[in-house]
Amino acid sequence: MCSAPRDALEFSDSDRGFLEPHLPPQDSSAAQSDLPFTTLTFATSLDSSLALSPGTRTVLSGPQSKAMTHYLRSRHDGILIGVGTAVADDPGLNCRITGVGGYGQDGLNGQPRPVVIDPTARWNFSDDSKLFQLCREGRGRAPWIITAVGNPSAEKQSLLEKYGGRFISVKMVRLHTGRHQIDWPDLLVTLKSNGLGSVMIEGGGQVIKSLLSPLYMSLLDSVIITIAPTWLGEGGVVVSPARRFDEDGNAISAARLKNVKWYPFGEDVVLCGQVKLCD
């Protein structure tokens, strides 16, 4: 057993109990599915913004809800973000809860596999990227990068493989806007077939919006949202499902949550539930 680093986080057993119904089962009850247990989680402001502007790192979660997020990471095999978040934040994408691998225990038990959706392989990571620093320190895993590029840079491939990561090439449709459309069922099946029985999707905005499409909402097993007591103001990065209409062309609700629970963490409030598509 190793000593926990100074940045290790604590998360009480009582708080863990509240989250349990919304987390991947710890037995093998979900092992028969071709899809991983999929959790959507993110922090938002009172005006439903993730950030002040695209590409701007914006801290919303307080210390208690931040510790909760790291506990959620310990309960998932993988943690998924989009390339925009990777470029803007240089994230660590590890778990800092006391008792997981690298934070009081040897090995990497409890550390999720980072997964970055990077359709054009544009993320210019390097040996100095935080992810790889954590790998060298034994406090995190190397990322899998999901891309539409058939033959990514040999230099990037070599660096990933040096730390145990890799590129995974999948088919994506390039839209007229220039963005790539994610085939979420295909992607999730691919992740499950590569050994990830559960995946936690953290962002950013485009990834969350894509997954909140009525076409893909049913893939979500759990939704856990941290609401911070702040307004970011106009111009923020807002996430919301596309508007739905009935047969007469009248606007109707896109979706709502069921089995809802609310829980205060410091000044933040955490909402847990499951997607219920509106009729």
Side-chain angles (χ1 to χ4, degrees), residues 27-266:
D27 56 25
S28 59
S29 59
Q32 301 303 316
S33 173
D34 290 334
L35 297 170
F37 186 101
T38 303
T39 301
L40 176 63
T41 181
F42 56 91
T44 182
S45 65
L46 294 174
D47 42 1
S48 300
S49 292
L50 302 181
L52 287 164
S53 61
T56 300
R57 185 170 188 176
T58 306
V59 177
L60 290 171
S61 300
Q64 291 95 331
S65 54
K66 182 177 182 179
M68 178 204 72
T69 297
H70 278 262
Y71 174 67
L72 294 179
R73 291 179 178 183
S74 76
R75 292 292 304 275
H76 290 78
D77 296 333
I79 172 174
L80 184 150
I81 63 168
V83 64
T85 301
V87 171
D89 294 354
D90 185 26
L93 299 180
N94 70 335
C95 172
R96 289 164 39 200
I97 292 294
T98 299
V100 302
Y103 289 82
Q105 290 289 339
D106 297 323
L108 292 174
N109 186 44
Q111 290 293 349
R113 172 71 64 182
V115 179
V116 180
I117 298 179
D118 186 3
T120 61
R122 69 180 177 92
W123 182 25
N124 290 319
F125 52 83
S126 72
D127 218 33
D128 294 327
S129 296
K130 190 172 182 180
L131 273 165
F132 299 123
Q133 293 179 29
L134 291 170
C135 288
R136 290 194 295 273
E137 295 167 1
R139 296 195 287 150
R141 299 181 189 272
W144 292 349
I145 299 181
I146 308 299
T147 184
V149 176
N151 294 295
S153 157
E155 182 179 357
K156 289 183 177 180
Q157 289 191 62
S158 177
L159 180 56
L160 280 173
E161 292 170 2
K162 172 183 174 182
Y163 291 102
R166 58 189 167 117
F167 281 102
I168 298 178
S169 295
V170 299
K171 292 181 180 179
M172 296 187 194
V173 176
R174 190 179 182 90
L175 304 176
H176 69 279
T177 60
R179 295 187 179 277
H180 286 77
Q181 181 172 300
I182 302 168
D183 184 333
W184 282 104
D186 181 66
L187 174 56
L188 292 173
V189 167
T190 297
L191 295 178
K192 180 66 177 289
S193 68
N194 279 275
L196 299 187
S198 55
V199 178
M200 173 176 165
I201 298 172
E202 284 197 11
Q206 291 301 323
V207 168
I208 294 172
K209 285 181 182 179
S210 171
L211 194 52
L212 286 179
S213 162
L215 186 63
Y216 298 131
M217 276 188 184
S218 61
L219 297 171
L220 295 172
D221 295 288
S222 181
V223 177
I224 302 175
I225 301 173
T226 298
I227 303 170
T230 184
W231 286 278
L232 294 184
E234 295 180 359
V237 179
V238 176
V239 292
S240 180
R243 178 63 61 87
R244 295 177 67 222
F245 299 90
D246 63 18
E247 295 178 353
D248 298 321
N250 300 311
I252 58 175
S253 297
R256 65 177 293 126
L257 297 180
K258 61 183 179 180
N259 301 326
V260 170
K261 288 187 178 180
W262 298 83
Y263 198 76
F265 282 101

